[in-house]
Amino acid sequence: MNSKKQPKKQPDTNEMTDRQFETEDYNRQDALSQGLAETHEQVSDAYQEGSFEDTDR
């Protein structure tokens, strides 16, 4: 028997750079979808809060 380990398959980086957030990402289980959903939530929260400069108007 040959006990050589197979190298890990690298993720397709083209897929990562071409993807944009989709609402279905909240329900998907892969790391890319979960990351997009979390980032979308953070950006949405920051946008809703505004900035400190905006609150003085």
Side-chain angles (χ1 to χ4, degrees), residues 11-28:
D12 182 4
T13 54
N14 288 330
E15 177 189 347
M16 290 183 211
T17 59
D18 290 341
R19 274 286 309 275
Q20 293 184 7
F21 171 77
E22 300 171 351
T23 54
E24 294 83 15
D25 287 331
Y26 283 116
N27 299 320
R28 293 180 180 148

Side-chain angles (χ1 to χ4, degrees), residues 3-55:
S3 62
K4 255 188 174 178
K5 285 187 173 182
Q6 292 286 332
K8 277 189 170 181
K9 184 181 178 205
Q10 294 295 318
D12 182 4
T13 54
N14 288 330
E15 177 189 347
M16 290 183 211
T17 59
D18 290 341
R19 274 286 309 275
Q20 293 184 7
F21 171 77
E22 300 171 351
T23 54
E24 294 83 15
D25 287 331
Y26 283 116
N27 299 320
R28 293 180 180 148
Q29 298 302 313
D30 62 284
L32 179 57
S33 295
Q34 290 178 348
L36 286 170
E38 184 174 341
T39 302
H40 180 265
E41 191 70 25
Q42 292 171 344
V43 169
S44 178
D45 289 348
Y47 180 77
Q48 291 292 326
E49 284 183 23
S51 65
F52 292 115
E53 295 82 25
D54 291 341
T55 59

